[in-house]
Amino acid sequence: MKTLECLTRRFLEVIFSLLALVPLPPISQLGWLFLSLAIRCCWIVYIIYLLDVAVSFSWVAIESVGNAVGTMLFVGNSVLGFALLLESVLKQKTHSQLEDLRVQTELQLQRLGMFGRSRHAAYLLPLIGVQFTCDLVRLVTNFGEPVSPVFNISLPLMWLLRYRYVQLVQHVMDLNQRSIQLRRSLLCLASGNDLWQPYGVHEFLQLQALRTTYERIFECYETFSDCYGWGMLGLHLLTSFQFVTNAYWMIMGLYDGGNVRALIFNGATGIDFGTPIATLFWHGDSGAENGRQIGCLISKLVKPQGSKRYNDLVSEFSLQTLHQRFVVTAKDFFSLNLHLLSSMFAAVVTYLVILIQFMFAERSSKRSSG
């Protein structure tokens, strides 16, 4: 299991480097720095090429609502890809702070005797497998007479966007693992707590160390949101739009008699983008739930016969869990949780109804003009 975890981590490090989703190496590693800059230059040239293709398709976009929506989505994905490349460079200092905080929390948890095992591979490998399978299905259905004329040339860009989701899921799982370790340590302290016995010095010191660790983990969540927040906001908006457009094209296909290849292609696209965002929101909600459980455990540490100093520390810790929650946010626009995921699907249905109304209005105007 440890070997699989190490191989998964190494594999993702290579993929993230090739997709330019990691910060630039320090100037002391000059060779790796030049290689990273060369990779970014290749991506920039590729994105400029995609935008040029979008301009050449602009005359087709005015022919129908479906073409206009597809062109907007294509341009939006290209601009978002460039924004993610820019974010990985501009947020380099914040990324270094995040790595320092992660190391600090890991050392503090080890001092408390908590050595959690990483289980990233069990979640990330199936997620990558689903995306790879969907890509194969879309390649097969798009072969011959293409369902999407830009699918093949935009496939590397789709990998960049989706692997950003994988990167976010990996980071959130890592933060959640630390919060779970802290919760277990608090649970051990609470289960051995005798309410009617005065506190021991070791209990006070352990509680103080747990409170400091909680603060460090909270800082990790805050720094993570600052480091990847704008990218998460863009991904959320574009993924919502992707759902709307693919659902719209599937309904159009059914309404026009049902092109099976188009239905399969758009269904696979929806699964391709829906799986990573659902996984990310689920893990974001799990982190918030860990924080709530930690807050509930604090009340079990009160000692009526203890000193004021100990009980004041318990009260301060309890207030800290109320005001410093383990929440991943996209620049404070929204928090990643299952409630937001359900709201996103409700918004998708709303926008889908609007697009369908445009479709019927467009077809009625064509019939009247004809």
Side-chain angles (χ1 to χ4, degrees):
M1 183 60 71
K2 288 184 178 180
T3 304
L4 182 61
E5 291 290 339
C6 291
L7 289 175
T8 303
R9 190 174 290 272
R10 291 294 182 186
F11 166 75
L12 290 177
E13 286 176 358
V14 173
I15 294 297
F16 295 153
S17 298
L18 292 175
L19 297 177
L21 293 176
V22 293
L24 292 170
I27 197 168
S28 58
Q29 302 176 4
L30 202 56
W32 289 112
L33 178 61
F34 280 129
L35 179 60
S36 183
L37 288 172
I39 291 172
R40 278 168 169 78
C41 289
C42 292
W43 276 105
I44 291 172
V45 171
Y46 167 68
I47 291 173
I48 292 173
Y49 164 71
L50 292 182
L51 292 174
D52 182 63
V53 171
V55 172
S56 67
F57 274 97
S58 59
W59 62 273
V60 183
I62 60 175
E63 294 182 354
S64 67
V65 176
N67 291 346
V69 168
T71 304
M72 290 170 57
L73 180 64
F74 183 69
V75 173
N77 286 333
S78 302
V79 173
L80 179 59
F82 179 77
L84 293 181
L85 296 178
L86 196 62
E87 185 182 52
S88 67
V89 175
L90 296 180
K91 290 293 184 178
Q92 189 154 352
K93 184 177 179 181
T94 310
H95 188 272
S96 299
Q97 293 174 354
L98 176 61
E99 290 300 314
D100 292 341
L101 287 169
R102 288 174 65 247
V103 172
Q104 290 176 21
T105 54
E106 187 172 358
L107 292 175
Q108 286 177 337
L109 288 167
Q110 288 177 1
R111 292 191 194 103
L112 293 168
M114 303 303 295
F115 300 90
R117 291 188 303 172
S118 175
R119 302 175 66 179
H120 295 174
Y123 291 94
L124 296 179
L125 291 181
L127 178 61
I128 295 171
V130 169
Q131 294 176 337
F132 182 72
T133 303
C134 289
D135 282 341
L136 286 178
V137 170
R138 291 195 295 168
L139 279 170
V140 171
T141 54
N142 203 56
F143 185 76
E145 184 181 352
V147 177
S148 171
V150 296
F151 170 71
N152 292 334
I153 62 172
S154 63
L155 190 56
L157 178 64
M158 297 301 103
W159 290 341
L160 187 147
L161 299 181
R162 293 199 308 269
Y163 270 99
R164 173 62 106 184
Y165 271 120
V166 174
Q167 186 182 38
L168 294 173
V169 170
Q170 184 185 30
H171 278 297
V172 174
M173 287 177 62
D174 190 66
L175 296 178
N176 289 352
Q177 180 64 32
R178 284 162 168 72
S179 65
I180 290 172
Q181 290 175 306
L182 178 63
R183 177 168 58 85
R184 289 173 179 170
S185 186
L186 271 169
L187 186 61
C188 292
L189 185 62
S191 61
N193 183 41
D194 190 342
L195 293 177
W196 305 108
Q197 292 293 328
Y199 79 98
V201 176
H202 69 283
E203 289 179 309
F204 181 84
L205 294 175
Q206 187 176 8
L207 183 60
Q208 201 169 33
L210 289 170
R211 185 191 171 198
T212 303
T213 305
Y214 183 95
E215 187 172 0
R216 290 291 175 270
I217 296 175
F218 168 75
E219 290 174 357
C220 284
Y221 277 94
E222 287 284 291
T223 308
F224 172 79
S225 300
D226 182 32
C227 187
Y228 297 101
W230 288 115
M232 284 190 288
L233 179 61
L235 284 169
H236 173 71
L237 297 176
L238 258 297
T239 302
S240 301
F241 191 45
Q242 182 86 49
F243 271 116
V244 173
T245 54
N246 280 280
Y248 170 75
W249 288 326
M250 289 179 71
I251 292 173
M252 278 186 61
L254 291 171
Y255 183 78
D256 293 335
N259 185 336
V260 177
R261 291 171 63 246
L263 289 175
I264 295 174
F265 181 90
N266 289 306
T269 304
I271 295 172
D272 208 2
F273 278 88
T275 307
I277 193 172
T279 305
L280 177 61
F281 278 48
W282 185 78
H283 284 290
D285 192 77
S286 298
E289 181 61 27
N290 285 332
R292 285 190 291 268
Q293 292 180 7
I294 289 172
C296 294
L297 285 172
I298 304 299
S299 60
K300 299 181 179 181
L301 300 176
V302 176
K303 288 181 177 290
Q305 298 297 322
S307 70
K308 183 177 182 300
R309 183 188 179 196
Y310 175 84
N311 288 324
D312 283 348
L313 181 60
V314 174
S315 299
E316 290 171 5
F317 197 174
S318 180
L319 285 173
Q320 184 177 359
T321 59
L322 288 174
H323 295 288
Q324 296 180 345
R325 297 182 180 274
F326 295 163
V327 178
V328 178
T329 65
K331 307 306 289 186
D332 293 327
F333 282 96
F334 55 81
S335 303
L336 301 188
N337 51 50
L338 295 180
H339 176 71
L340 177 64
L341 186 63
S342 61
S343 300
M344 187 188 81
F345 281 112
V348 165
V349 173
T350 302
Y351 295 131
L352 184 59
V353 170
I354 295 173
L355 275 178
I356 291 173
Q357 289 176 343
F358 274 116
M359 178 189 75
F360 283 116
E362 177 193 18
R363 297 194 174 193
S364 62
S365 64
K366 285 183 178 179
R367 282 197 298 267
S368 61
S369 61

